[in-house]
Amino acid sequence: MPRKLEDVLDYFLPGAGVPASAARANAYPGEDAQPTHPAHSDWSPDANPRTRTDRPAALPIIALPIGDRDVVHAAFAWNLAVEFARFGANATLLAPADPAAASLWPPSGRGPIGAELELVHATNLRELHRAALDLAVSRAADAKNGGVILTRVPPAWLNGMSDGRALLRWVLLFAATESKDLRETYGLAKRVLQAGPTPRLGITIHGARRIEEAERAFSRLADTTQRHLGHAVVSYGLLMDDLHIYRAIVAHRPIGLEHPQSRAARALRDVARLLLEDAQDHALG
């Protein structure tokens, strides 16, 4: 069954039906802020949302279509990788080494909390898929708490069929609430579905001022995609308070480090939790 936005709202709103045990820690251990742990919580820096007793042959791959100048969505991707690392999971973001998109990313290599950016010399979807699969297999051996390979896909590579279309088996799109952005996201979803098999198409809403606004935006996008493309979408929640996101981008720091108490930081952590929980169910055993 596709997850709806209202099914995951309790991850994001303190006081909106969230039990005290679901409170989130907001600081990064070992960084500038001191770790804060909710009372009676079993959270620890290397604790995943659920614990696997076996290791998969390859980590799941999530494709994120992000344009060459889409700094905000690229920041979401990198900050999700940092949040994965905070859960103790493998946290690797893979992207083509394209000079046109160099401004999207921090320096390659290991960053905060062990999150890693890998830049590869791929020129098409097939080459990118091969690199992502190699990384998914190699990282699985050391991923005692699971993880995800986030893979940035240039939207231009979605045109036509390709040997690399298997990369699109799990796709995450970010969508703002404005009508123009929703239309553009629908167009991107259409190109993804035309390019190859996409059993799992997820949406994370951002830019909403109110929860009701986010619900309407997701419902509009989900209904249109189902009606015209015959495909259900899964909600991966919402990201709040874009102002802190912009400030963190300017500071070249992850949001959770720059503004650990902000709604944006808490929301990113909860989106990461949802993705990791689904990743454990979709790992290749």
Side-chain angles (χ1 to χ4, degrees):
M1 293 292 291
R3 185 193 295 122
K4 299 180 180 179
L5 184 60
E6 56 265 30
D7 297 331
V8 298
L9 287 181
D10 60 336
Y11 280 85
F12 305 100
L13 283 184
V18 183
S21 61
R24 308 294 192 261
N26 294 319
Y28 286 84
E31 294 290 337
D32 296 344
Q34 294 298 314
T36 58
H37 303 283
H40 310 297
S41 171
D42 58 358
W43 183 89
S44 66
D46 54 354
N48 236 3
R50 295 200 299 262
T51 300
R52 288 185 63 99
T53 58
D54 59 330
R55 296 187 187 182
L59 296 178
I61 300 168
I62 303 179
L64 300 97
I66 297 174
D68 291 345
R69 299 182 179 180
D70 196 344
V71 175
V72 173
H73 291 176
F76 290 160
W78 174 239
N79 278 274
L80 284 173
V82 173
E83 293 299 330
F84 292 159
R86 184 180 174 187
F87 279 118
N90 176 85
T92 305
L93 173 61
L94 179 71
D98 183 358
S103 62
L104 297 180
W105 313 115
S108 61
R110 289 195 177 273
I113 326 296
E116 188 171 3
L117 174 65
E118 287 273 348
L119 299 178
V120 296
H121 293 285
T123 60
N124 54 52
L125 204 61
R126 178 180 58 81
E127 293 176 357
L128 185 60
H129 177 234
R130 181 183 301 166
L133 190 56
D134 287 347
L135 198 60
V137 172
S138 65
R139 291 293 189 270
D142 299 322
K144 64 178 182 179
N145 289 319
V148 174
I149 306 299
L150 294 174
T151 304
R152 182 253 168 166
V153 176
W157 293 4
L158 298 174
N159 294 328
M161 301 301 289
S162 166
D163 290 341
R165 58 185 180 271
L167 179 61
L168 307 177
R169 288 175 177 166
W170 188 0
V171 176
L172 176 64
L173 302 176
F174 300 108
T177 56
E178 293 84 0
S179 294
K180 179 177 181 293
D181 197 89
L182 291 175
R183 288 193 297 269
E184 291 177 352
T185 304
Y186 169 77
L188 191 54
K190 184 176 181 179
R191 292 169 63 187
V192 166
L193 294 172
Q194 289 174 338
T198 308
R200 196 165 192 82
L201 179 61
I203 303 289
T204 293
I205 297 292
H206 68 95
R209 293 180 292 265
R210 299 179 302 277
I211 295 301
E212 295 78 11
E213 183 182 3
E215 289 178 327
R216 287 195 300 270
F218 176 80
S219 295
R220 180 179 172 186
L221 188 55
D223 292 347
T224 303
T225 303
Q226 180 69 68
R227 184 168 61 253
H228 294 289
L229 304 179
H231 201 288
V233 300
V234 178
S235 172
Y236 287 103
L238 65 151
L239 298 174
M240 305 294 291
D241 203 352
D242 282 6
L243 179 59
H244 279 107
I245 293 169
Y246 302 144
R247 289 173 175 168
I249 291 172
V250 171
H252 301 289
R253 294 261 291 171
I255 299 166
L257 298 181
E258 189 69 12
H259 304 285
Q261 305 300 328
S262 67
R263 292 191 302 171
R266 296 196 302 268
L268 268 162
R269 181 162 176 78
D270 288 324
V271 172
R273 184 191 299 272
L274 291 170
L275 290 167
L276 278 176
E277 288 179 347
D278 277 5
Q280 290 172 347
D281 293 334
H282 290 81
L284 302 178

